[in-house]
Amino acid sequence: MTHTRITIICENRAHMARDIMGEHGFAALIKTPDTCLLMDTGQGLGLAHNAKAMKIDLAALDGVVISHGHFDHTGGLMQIPARERPLPIHAHPDLFAAKYVMPKGEPPTYIGIPFSQTALEETINARFEFHSDFTDIAPGVFFSGQVPRTWSFEPSDDRLVTETSDGFVPDPFKDDASLLIETPTGPVILTGCAHSGIVNIMEHFAQKTGHQTFSAVIGGTHLGFVNDPAQLEQAMDAFDKFKVRTIAVSHCTGNEAAARLFHRFKNRFAFAGAGWHMDF
């Protein structure tokens, strides 16, 4: 194998492929000439089912990356087969922070990772490797670490909170992380939800790597939560600034934002649903 393939295993919609199921969540397989990584695991409904349908062997993974600690990205961890050798799991140190959703006037509902670190270590032989900063985790694969919030126009969701000793406070999403993957056609950014802001993520990787163009941006963009149409326009301008050749959106991008992205970018746009893949 001389190319890199990114395959969406779990996503809100099923791509046009046989026996694939959709679920609210996200998981993607990154297979390069040097490594095989899983980024996120969905909420636990479809990971094993879809992997089997796509003939993906989850027991052969070299490691797992978790983009952040929400249940719809971590709930499938226990579906990864146990094995003798430790399974590296790369994440930010705040992965196990107590995360909740608290709509106005309603009690908080826990939406964090549904397993303890100890349970994962004992059940699937997980070995957690926590990274606060930008770091390489495999040949040509870079973990963002905490992403600086540079652009004030990035969307936010004030329903999402975390529990601290002072009570519930807005979730700062220090744990929101993405990947940059070097490929023969150029660097590819893979995101989970992009709670840090998709423009912040692109700017962060540009600053850390020197790349000023990206072959693709794939995954959740959180643009479904923009507070002003101008915010979406600014994000789309940033895709053009970085000359992103493929904008393949998933999960929390939202129907309206996806429609506007398609209208602007046409053949540069793709719906990255469960079963979709792209070679680089």
Side-chain angles (χ1 to χ4, degrees), residues 6 27 41 87 92 101 106 136-137 142 153 162 190-191 197 207 212 219 240 246 257 276:
I6 295 176
T41 67
L87 175 67
H92 186 275
V101 60
E106 297 183 22
D136 60 318
I137 60 171
F142 301 89
F153 64 80
T162 187
L190 183 62
T191 66
Q207 189 273 325
Q212 295 302 314
D240 274 336
T246 299
W276 178 90

Side-chain angles (χ1 to χ4, degrees), residues 3 13-14 46 65 93 102 115 133 136 181 186 200 202 204 218 235 238 256 276:
H3 63 273
R13 298 175 178 84
V65 178
M102 192 164 62
F115 316 109
D133 301 317
D136 60 318
I181 304 137
N200 286 330
M202 290 190 288
H204 177 62
I218 300 171
E256 182 177 342
W276 178 90

Side-chain angles (χ1 to χ4, degrees), residues 31-280:
K31 193 165 180 58
T32 79
D34 301 299
T35 193
C36 181
L37 300 171
L38 179 69
M39 180 174 178
D40 292 345
T41 67
Q43 61 174 286
L45 301 176
L47 181 66
H49 173 91
N50 287 355
K52 182 178 179 181
M54 289 183 249
K55 297 181 172 55
I56 292 170
D57 183 6
L58 295 175
L61 295 171
D62 295 313
V64 175
V65 178
I66 299 297
S67 67
H68 62 295
H70 277 162
F71 77 100
D72 50 331
H73 296 257
T74 60
L77 277 165
M78 287 293 191
Q79 293 185 10
I80 299 173
R83 58 189 190 176
E84 290 186 10
R85 68 187 188 282
L87 175 67
I89 298 183
H90 302 274
H92 186 275
D94 281 5
L95 174 65
F96 290 95
K99 294 176 178 290
Y100 292 80
V101 60
M102 192 164 62
K104 188 174 182 179
E106 297 183 22
T109 300
Y110 181 76
I111 56 171
I113 184 169
F115 316 109
S116 70
Q117 181 173 340
T118 300
L120 290 164
E121 290 170 342
E122 293 178 349
T123 305
I124 64 170
N125 202 8
R127 184 188 70 214
F128 284 90
E129 298 185 14
F130 295 115
H131 315 287
S132 296
D133 301 317
F134 177 86
T135 187
D136 60 318
I137 60 171
V141 181
F142 301 89
F143 183 87
S144 67
Q146 186 173 336
V147 176
R149 276 42 166 199
T150 303
W151 296 93
S152 61
F153 64 80
E154 295 279 43
S156 61
D157 187 346
D158 58 11
R159 303 171 306 144
L160 302 178
V161 298
T162 187
E163 188 175 23
T164 70
S165 57
D166 296 322
F168 292 102
V169 299
D171 193 335
F173 283 107
K174 293 180 180 180
D175 60 323
D176 182 72
S178 301
L179 293 179
L180 183 137
I181 304 137
E182 301 280 7
T183 81
T185 66
V188 173
I189 293 175
L190 183 62
T191 66
C193 262
H195 286 287
S196 303
I198 192 64
V199 180
N200 286 330
I201 291 166
M202 290 190 288
E203 293 282 1
H204 177 62
F205 280 128
Q207 189 273 325
K208 290 295 184 180
T209 67
H211 291 304
Q212 295 302 314
T213 64
F214 299 108
S215 181
V217 172
I218 300 171
T221 65
H222 223 246
L223 292 173
F225 297 87
V226 294
N227 299 314
D228 184 326
Q231 292 176 297
L232 182 54
E233 292 297 326
Q234 289 171 301
M236 291 192 292
D237 289 344
F239 287 131
D240 274 336
K241 171 188 171 182
F242 286 107
K243 298 181 174 61
V244 182
R245 293 197 293 275
T246 299
I247 301 152
V249 302
S250 298
H251 191 43
C252 55
T253 299
N255 293 334
E256 182 177 342
R260 292 182 64 187
L261 287 164
F262 169 75
H263 179 75
R264 174 157 169 176
F265 295 111
K266 298 293 193 295
N267 61 353
R268 292 166 60 194
F269 175 88
F271 285 108
W276 178 90
H277 72 267
M278 190 167 187
D279 293 326
F280 300 91

